């Protein structure tokens, strides 16, 4: 039975790719990817040449059917999104669903993710961690969802663009100005920056910057750990 490999790729630093990911790319017959130009740069870096198939959010189901046909014919296929692990705020979930429905095997090849990278450097994650991905760009919906997330008392990871990071921090500061936040910018890349502080402190920091560039992962600490620590101290 032919197999579809879901391959995690570096989120920035190319040295983060795994030996298994490279070997998978080398052995498959086709490589499907979110952006053929982006993946081609990665493959060229490791001197790998394979036929590429575009499989992005806009054509994922149609591309999935094409990939199923290749699998039916006995070919093996690897799928990579632009960065990180497919299906985590990236295309890939629809493709996996289509291929599994066709009774082909799905093989995950683990790789980096921005959220796990930031959690490892955040210092506190708690027993439960909510991964929200990207919030709605609409201010009302974003603020409403933030209130729901913070009310859970669990730690939360959010992805954000450079165009809305200050707006996100502003909403967080309005909702809970003392909530501890860790902001990861350009994680694993040349200009990686990890800053921490209260929501109010980080809002001041980013509001005073002349320009903001890069992709962001934002860790919002939970309150359950604090409550549990207080209860333990009383016992």
């Amino acid at each position: 039975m032919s197999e579809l490999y879901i391959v995690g790729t570096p989120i920035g630093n190319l040295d983060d790719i795994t030996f298994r990911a490279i070997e998978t790319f080398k052995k498959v017959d086709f490589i499907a990817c979110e952006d053929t130009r982006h993946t081609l740069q990665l493959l060229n870096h490791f001197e790998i040449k394979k036929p590429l198939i575009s499989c992005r959010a806009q054509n994922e189901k149609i591309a999935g059917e094409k990939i199923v046909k290749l699998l039916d014919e006995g070919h093996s296929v690897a799928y990579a999104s632009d960065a990180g692990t497919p299906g985590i705020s990236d295309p890939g979930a629809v493709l996996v669903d289509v291929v599994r429905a066709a009774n082909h095997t799905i093989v995950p090849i683990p790789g980096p993710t921005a959220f796990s990278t930031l959690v490892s450097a955040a210092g506190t994650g708690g027993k439960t961690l909510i991964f929200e991905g990207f919030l709605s760009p609409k201010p009302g919906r974003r603020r409403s969802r933030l209130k729901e997330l913070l009310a859970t008392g669990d730690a939360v990871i959010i992805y954000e663009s450079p165009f809305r990071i200050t707006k996100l921090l502003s909403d967080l500061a309005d909702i809970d100005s003392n909530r501890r936040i860790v902001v990861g910018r350009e994680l694993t890349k040349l200009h990686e920056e990890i800053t921490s502080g209260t929501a109010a402190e980080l809002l001041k920091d980013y509001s005073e910057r002349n320009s903001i560039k890069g992709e962001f992962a934002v860790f919002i600490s939970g309150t359950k750990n604090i409550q549990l620590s207080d209860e333990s101290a009383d016992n």
Side-chain angles (χ1 to χ4, degrees):
M1 183 178 290
S2 300
E3 297 173 324
L4 171 69
Y5 297 88
I6 302 299
V7 184
T9 57
I11 59 175
N13 192 321
L14 295 184
D15 288 341
D16 289 336
I17 198 166
T18 66
F19 290 120
R20 190 179 177 203
I22 292 174
E23 290 305 311
T24 299
F25 284 143
K26 287 180 177 180
K27 77 177 184 180
V28 297
D29 300 310
F30 293 88
I31 297 175
C33 43
E34 182 179 1
D35 186 326
T36 55
R37 296 165 299 180
H38 187 95
T39 300
L40 184 60
Q41 292 177 351
L42 176 68
L43 296 176
N44 285 341
H45 181 80
F46 293 104
E47 300 181 343
I48 300 171
K49 293 185 178 181
K50 295 288 178 174
L52 300 182
I53 302 169
S54 172
C55 182
R56 56 193 190 280
Q58 294 80 3
N59 75 338
E60 196 171 353
K61 187 171 183 180
I62 295 173
E65 293 169 354
K66 180 178 180 180
I67 290 168
V68 166
K69 186 174 185 298
L70 289 172
L71 294 170
D72 287 342
E73 294 171 353
H75 298 292
S76 56
V77 181
Y79 177 72
S81 58
D82 285 351
T85 302
I88 303 178
S89 285
D90 282 339
V94 173
L95 171 61
V96 168
D97 191 45
V98 170
V99 170
R100 179 169 285 117
N103 294 317
H104 288 290
T105 302
I106 313 295
V107 181
I109 309 296
T113 61
F115 85 81
S116 60
T117 300
L118 182 60
V119 170
S120 71
T124 174
K127 187 174 182 180
T128 302
L129 176 66
I130 298 173
F131 173 63
E132 182 70 9
F134 287 95
L135 292 169
S136 170
K138 296 184 178 180
R141 291 184 181 180
R142 181 180 66 241
R143 189 179 180 86
S144 176
R145 182 56 180 157
L146 276 175
K147 287 182 178 180
E148 293 175 352
L149 291 168
L150 267 63
T152 66
D154 293 316
V156 180
I157 286 283
I158 292 172
Y159 288 168
E160 194 50 275
S161 75
F163 310 107
R164 290 191 295 270
I165 184 64
T166 303
K167 295 177 182 177
L168 172 63
L169 292 172
S170 178
D171 285 340
L172 287 170
D174 284 344
I175 298 168
D176 186 350
S177 62
N178 291 318
R179 186 68 68 100
R180 180 173 176 267
I181 310 292
V182 181
V183 175
R185 184 179 72 85
E186 292 289 86
L187 292 172
T188 79
K189 299 178 184 177
L190 180 62
H191 299 292
E192 176 183 83
E193 178 185 20
I194 299 176
T195 53
S196 64
T198 66
E201 290 169 344
L202 289 177
L203 172 61
K204 183 176 184 296
D205 176 0
Y206 275 88
S207 296
E208 293 174 348
R209 299 190 182 200
N210 293 325
S211 64
I212 300 175
K213 298 179 180 179
E215 297 300 322
F216 291 83
V218 179
F219 174 92
I220 306 168
S221 64
T223 57
K224 288 181 178 178
N225 273 2
I226 297 173
Q227 294 169 356
L228 289 172
S229 296
D230 291 343
E231 290 171 3
S232 298
D234 293 337
N235 292 334

